[in-house]
Amino acid sequence: MINLERRAFLFKASALSAAALFPSAFLSSDRPAKRKFRICLNPGAIGVELSQQEMLDKAIEYGFEAIVPYPAQLATMRDQGFEGFLSRMKQNNITWGTANLPVQFRESALKFRGDFERLQESAHALNLAKANRMSTWIMPTHKELTYMQNFNQHKRRLKEVAKLLSDKNIRLGLEYVGPKTLMTRDKYAFIRTMAELQELIDAIDEPNVGIQLDAFHWFCAGESKQDILNLTADQIVTVDLNDAKKDKTAEEQLDWERELPMDSKVINLKDFLEALVEIGYDGPVRAEPFNSNLNKLDNEAALRKTIDAMGNAVSQID
């Protein structure tokens, strides 16, 4: 589901194409030879509301190769059609994407502890479904905590989260948020680059913790293809794909304004995706445009535009 929490956090301070007609062939024809990663449907990020069952239906219809898991819905399915659902995923070669971590670790200890106590249920539902990825984002500023105070709090709390998830065979992806426009939002700056995030991951020191790599943040942080090539595939838990606004430099981009992949051609997605192929990344890649015009479309139009955009991006891979 889209990071609505982050958007609230920040706001507070057409014709049917050939790709949509034949999406499975359009996306999967190159995958065995050139790529291992899977094009994942993440409905909330494109303004589409779907249940877990409807998500599978649309993934099959439009040719997505993975779907994000909704732990709460999976938990309610256990007594009604759960095995049939998993069987249908397997029959259609649909795999799992990445669930959002339902833990507010950025604020009070009381809020963190309450969410943490409820995390066990979500992790159990994911484990039963054999979905093994969760992710969350790191806010690049804080109103009260200095860099090191914030770093130590993240290290301590996320280590607890990682240990719980590890018991359920779930990996945890952490996303750095790159736009420089956010850095004056609060008094104290925090992590906004891949290198800084890797320092936090090293400090957490749990083998199931890695990076949620987002093309927009990679671009805004001034990073390159080589930064991705310096990683190993198992250091990346999940990937978000998008494009930036044409009328803004990397330093001027706003976190909540993005485009679908290849719509503006501002971000060098060819380098980004070819690096993922070169290191052998085999996890989910999902569109996360945070785009108001896309959100205004009906479900079918939004799904068509998204699968077209993802296919266009994949076609850049040499």
Side-chain angles (χ1 to χ4, degrees), residues 198-211:
Q198 286 178 296
E199 291 175 345
L200 176 61
I201 291 171
D202 288 345
I204 293 169
D205 194 25
E206 295 295 333
N208 62 323
V209 180
I211 297 171

Side-chain angles (χ1 to χ4, degrees), residues 1-255:
M1 185 174 293
I2 194 169
N3 286 324
L4 292 175
E5 179 188 358
R6 183 163 92 221
R7 295 183 72 179
F9 210 122
L10 297 172
F11 276 118
K12 285 178 183 176
S14 240
L16 195 63
S17 70
L21 284 168
F22 306 104
S24 296
F26 182 67
L27 280 175
S28 64
S29 59
D30 76 317
R31 186 165 51 80
K34 292 189 175 181
R35 66 180 173 93
K36 297 178 181 178
F37 61 76
R38 314 275 299 183
I39 304 301
C40 180
L41 174 56
N42 185 23
I46 57 172
V48 172
E49 292 187 13
L50 298 173
S51 68
Q52 191 77 84
Q53 181 63 63
E54 291 168 337
M55 199 191 314
L56 178 56
D57 294 340
K58 293 303 181 184
I60 295 168
E61 178 181 353
Y62 284 92
F64 290 92
E65 301 160 342
I67 57 176
V68 296
Y70 292 163
Q73 292 189 31
L74 290 172
T76 64
M77 289 170 59
R78 289 202 295 262
D79 298 324
Q80 42 185 318
F82 187 62
E83 293 303 324
F85 182 88
L86 297 180
S87 177
R88 189 162 176 249
M89 284 185 66
K90 184 175 182 180
Q91 289 167 6
N92 288 277
N93 195 25
I94 305 289
T95 56
W96 286 117
T98 308
N100 283 340
L101 178 71
V103 176
Q104 176 51 275
F105 54 89
R106 306 167 190 88
E107 298 181 3
S108 70
L110 183 64
K111 176 61 176 170
F112 168 70
R113 191 54 54 193
D115 286 351
F116 182 80
E117 294 303 322
R118 291 185 289 272
L119 179 60
Q120 183 74 34
E121 183 177 349
S122 294
H124 181 62
L126 290 178
N127 180 255
L128 287 178
K130 295 182 171 55
N132 64 357
R133 299 170 197 253
M134 267 191 167
S135 64
T136 191
W137 49 275
I138 306 298
M139 186 65 199
T141 62
H142 200 281
K143 292 179 181 179
E144 299 173 353
L145 301 181
T146 66
Y147 189 100
M148 285 309 302
Q149 288 171 331
N150 204 10
F151 187 95
N152 289 332
Q153 178 170 283
H154 275 69
K155 178 182 72 171
R156 183 173 61 255
R157 292 179 177 181
L158 290 173
K159 188 177 186 71
E160 283 191 69
V161 169
K163 285 182 174 180
L164 185 154
L165 295 181
S166 180
D167 289 341
K168 298 296 183 180
N169 195 35
I170 297 171
R171 299 174 65 197
L172 176 62
L174 304 180
E175 178 187 50
Y176 60 98
V177 176
K180 285 188 175 180
T181 51
L182 289 179
M183 300 312 293
T184 58
R185 178 186 176 277
D186 293 316
K187 182 175 182 179
Y188 297 106
F190 194 48
I191 289 168
R192 63 167 292 268
T193 66
M194 187 187 301
E196 290 170 302
L197 180 64
Q198 286 178 296
E199 291 175 345
L200 176 61
I201 291 171
D202 288 345
I204 293 169
D205 194 25
E206 295 295 333
N208 62 323
V209 180
I211 297 171
Q212 175 179 338
L213 182 63
D214 185 299
F216 180 80
H217 299 313
W218 171 80
F219 168 72
C220 289
E223 292 161 349
S224 69
K225 182 177 183 177
Q226 188 59 50
D227 289 301
I228 302 175
L229 293 177
N230 289 339
L231 301 173
T232 59
D234 60 5
Q235 286 179 281
I236 303 176
V237 175
T238 190
V239 172
D240 294 328
L241 206 62
N242 34 51
D243 216 331
K245 290 291 185 179
K246 262 186 176 177
D247 59 347
K248 293 180 173 67
T249 66
E251 290 75 21
E252 296 169 336
Q253 297 289 331
L254 302 174
D255 186 53

